[in-house]
Amino acid sequence: MTTQLHAPGPPAGLLGLKLARRFSRDPLAFTTEMVREYGPLVHLQFGPQHAFIAAGPDAIHEVLVAGSRTFRKEPRTRNAVRKIDGEGIITTEGDFWLRQRRLVQKGFSADRMARYAEVTSRRTDQMIARWPDSGDLEICDEMTCLTLETIAETMFEVDMAADSRELAEQVEYLSERLVVELGSPLQLPDWFPLPSKRKKRHALRALHGMIRRVVEIRRQSGSIDRGDMLSMLLTAVDTEGDGGQMTDQQVCDEITTLFVAGYDTTASGLAWTWYLLAQNPEIAEQATAEAQYVLSSRSACYEDFEQLTLIRRVIQESLRLYPPAWLLMLREATIDTQLMGYHVPRKSWIYLAPWVTHRSARWFADPLKFDPERFTSGRIAEIPQHAYYPFGLGPHRCIGERLALLEMTLIVATVLRNFGMTLSADQGPVEVEPHTAIRPRGGLRLHVERHVAG
Ligand code: HEM
């Protein structure tokens, strides 16, 4: 029996305009407040559009896992992302997505991960060799360049050191436009003669041109397998499916997808980890002691990952308090259906915000406290299943999760072994800016101090 009862939520008021304005002005505060007031599933109405915030573990599970065929990525959002990523696994659905996901997955096998770890380690060494013994750094820039150079080398063996800042700016501009354009009721085509559209076309040409050149050069080189992701995508055969391979266009789309999805999120996670460690010197000291004990006088490598247990918990906790993907891609109900027993009309939007769930006292004790010990084996059972999901859940769960955790752990360990970090004297209060990934508004200045060799 279906019920027509809507989930609790605020009155829509005049066409829901006020609600929509509050949402777009401060989405973090708005979604948090709605869930605090109305509970794990909140109904919102924007004019004729029904929308829900699915914040409770049961609702999250119903949308992302049990109902992944009913709740699909919303078409307008998917089309906007497609302009950047093409038909990569982030924008596709159904059989085509499944085939591509199987092929891409092969690039994350254990032997490939060991090679990616080696790249991370070398790039981190190069970064800290440039750092002063004592001085202030813009840590978001440092982490963005490091993760961008690392992902470029692991995905397609290109040294982006000289161009990383410029390419990061282009991709950042594309993400900024994505958020602005999705939030605007008026959709103008990309050819429209506006400065913002011209800049967007330029950024798209720079990104796609770079990827196309990399694929062409590799094809022409005759030595396709170099141990990177591109080698794998060019040679992978879908043995479980149609026995076919990817076309060059499909390879370009998947490489663009992995490149764009892979570095900004990881850089955001690292920046917030440094912020939290700078705010919690006791935990930073314990994590430094772990890094120095496990690594002795060298940099972190693949084999160290399992032993760096406290640093891994620090990262898990940092991804709880500051989940880079603070809001998942918008979902849409493809049929009239239900969530937690409440009616959900066809074409309703579903917002899933790890930021809200991770910071709610409904699911986490003392939720705003930075407490890596939540993730010890003795306490992890206190976290309700599906309440912690920085990498999403279900079939579309992040394909780069293991790589991201590996990369972050090795970077944090190597940096901690060499440097102490505090907030710079000129760093004011830190505000969160909800972009495609959350980041400290205006950047984050840290003071670094090289440890005296002892
Ligand atoms: C800390 C770092 C990262 C975070 C927090 C993160 C988070 C996420 C989340 C939440 C999703 C699910 C989105 C949704 O269902 O709407 C996702 C999907 C995805 N991520 Fe990540 N990610 C990270 C790093 C990476 C890396 C390093 C890569 C690749 C090298 C990557 C590639 C992808 C791809 C391709 C998808 C789409 C998967 C699919 O739909 O099948 N991510 N990520």
Side-chain angles (χ1 to χ4, degrees):
M1 197 185 76
T2 54
T3 164
Q4 293 296 309
L5 195 64
H6 277 306
L14 187 64
L15 299 172
L17 284 176
K18 224 165 146 191
L19 286 180
R21 207 169 320 122
R22 278 174 66 201
F23 198 151
S24 67
R25 247 189 224 152
D26 191 347
L28 299 174
F30 177 76
T31 45
T32 302
E33 195 187 309
M34 288 295 110
V35 172
R36 193 182 307 127
E37 206 159 315
Y38 297 102
L41 183 70
V42 183
H43 174 245
L44 304 167
Q45 187 140 11
F46 307 121
Q49 180 66 53
H50 290 279
F52 295 83
I53 305 171
D58 293 341
I60 295 167
H61 179 263
E62 279 184 49
V63 177
L64 291 179
V65 186
S68 65
R69 283 167 188 273
T70 305
F71 299 98
R72 295 290 182 104
K73 292 179 178 173
E74 189 272 328
R76 200 172 79 108
T77 314
R78 221 149 36 98
N79 286 336
V81 178
R82 198 177 274 148
K83 297 218 172 96
I84 304 170
D85 289 346
E87 303 289 324
I89 54 174
I90 232 160
T91 55
T92 50
E93 299 264 13
D95 290 345
F96 180 73
W97 162 78
L98 184 61
R99 171 193 193 263
Q100 294 297 103
R101 175 134 183 154
R102 264 199 311 260
L103 288 171
V104 175
Q105 191 73 58
K106 292 176 197 255
F108 291 98
S109 62
D111 55 328
R112 302 262 162 182
M113 298 293 275
R115 152 128 176 89
Y116 302 158
E118 187 269 312
V119 174
T120 306
S121 205
R122 179 164 32 80
R123 291 276 169 190
T124 310
D125 285 347
Q126 287 166 358
M127 176 187 73
I128 57 177
R130 289 193 304 264
W131 283 9
D133 288 343
S134 171
D136 286 2
L137 290 172
E138 169 40 67
I139 206 73
C140 297
D141 280 355
E142 294 293 320
M143 294 299 115
T144 302
C145 290
L146 174 60
T147 54
L148 190 143
E149 288 162 23
T150 304
I151 199 99
E153 192 176 340
T154 51
M155 294 296 119
F156 38 79
E157 216 187 43
V158 167
D159 186 351
M160 301 285 308
D163 314 307
S164 58
R165 270 172 224 277
E166 201 195 318
L167 191 64
E169 275 170 26
Q170 306 285 12
V171 178
E172 196 174 304
Y173 186 72
L174 291 174
S175 332
E176 263 170 37
R177 290 311 304 168
L178 182 71
V179 175
V180 171
E181 289 177 11
L182 281 172
S184 148
L186 183 65
Q187 296 297 300
L188 293 172
D190 278 348
W191 53 258
F192 209 79
L194 276 176
S196 60
K197 290 289 185 187
R198 202 170 311 125
K199 214 169 153 193
K200 181 177 174 187
R201 288 196 301 272
H202 174 73
L204 282 171
R205 268 198 306 275
L207 173 67
H208 293 156
M210 186 270 290
I211 301 278
R212 231 186 351 262
R213 270 194 307 280
V214 166
V215 174
E216 275 167 19
I217 290 170
R218 181 67 61 88
R219 273 276 189 229
Q220 285 160 10
S221 76
S223 95
I224 288 181
D225 196 353
R226 307 259 185 87
D228 57 5
M229 175 67 78
L230 176 58
S231 313
M232 205 288 312
L233 296 183
L234 285 168
T235 53
V237 175
D238 185 21
T239 43
E240 293 152 73
D242 59 17
Q245 287 187 289
M246 286 190 210
T247 63
D248 279 7
Q249 186 56 53
Q250 285 164 354
V251 170
C252 283
D253 290 352
E254 295 303 355
I255 283 285
T256 310
T257 298
L258 294 168
F259 177 68
V260 173
Y263 80 88
D264 197 27
T265 40
T266 313
S268 152
L270 284 163
W272 290 113
T273 303
W274 295 125
Y275 172 66
L276 287 164
L277 287 173
Q279 302 276 76
N280 293 272
E282 243 176 64
I283 297 173
E285 219 169 275
Q286 291 161 12
T288 304
E290 179 180 87
Q292 291 176 338
Y293 175 75
V294 173
L295 309 183
S296 183
S297 59
R298 56 179 176 78
S299 298
C301 63
Y302 185 60
E303 288 72 27
D304 297 320
F305 180 76
E306 290 300 326
Q307 287 188 65
L308 295 163
T309 52
L310 172 59
I311 291 177
R312 282 194 283 129
R313 288 199 298 277
V314 162
I315 289 165
Q316 284 174 301
E317 176 69 343
S318 155
L319 294 174
R320 182 186 71 82
L321 276 170
Y322 294 96
W326 66 278
L327 185 71
L328 268 51
M329 220 174 184
L330 185 62
R331 300 304 205 264
E332 184 184 274
T334 51
I335 50 172
D336 278 345
T337 183
Q338 288 194 9
L339 274 178
M340 297 180 70
Y342 291 108
H343 178 57
V344 174
R346 180 170 166 267
K347 289 200 175 287
S348 294
W349 293 343
I350 319 292
Y351 294 102
L352 295 129
W355 170 274
V356 175
T357 308
H358 289 183
R359 290 176 157 246
S360 167
R362 286 172 192 267
W363 301 293
F364 290 88
D366 207 353
L368 302 187
K369 181 177 173 202
F370 177 60
D371 179 12
E373 298 311 292
R374 294 175 202 276
F375 292 91
T376 50
S377 54
R379 284 186 51 202
I380 199 160
E382 290 169 20
I383 302 177
Q385 214 188 353
H386 314 305
Y388 177 73
Y389 69 123
F391 293 99
L393 284 172
H396 286 283
R397 185 176 178 138
C398 179
I399 202 165
E401 174 173 355
R402 277 183 53 231
L403 174 61
L405 291 174
L406 174 67
E407 218 184 309
M408 290 174 74
T409 306
L410 302 191
I411 292 169
V412 170
T414 298
V415 172
L416 282 180
R417 190 186 77 75
N418 290 281
F419 285 93
M421 305 252 216
T422 47
L423 284 186
S424 295
D426 62 0
Q427 173 64 56
V430 175
E431 275 180 51
V432 183
E433 186 176 12
H435 226 266
T436 42
I438 50 165
R439 57 191 186 196
R441 194 184 299 280
L444 180 64
R445 286 187 67 69
L446 290 186
H447 179 79
V448 296
E449 198 71 42
R450 196 182 290 272
H451 299 309
V452 182

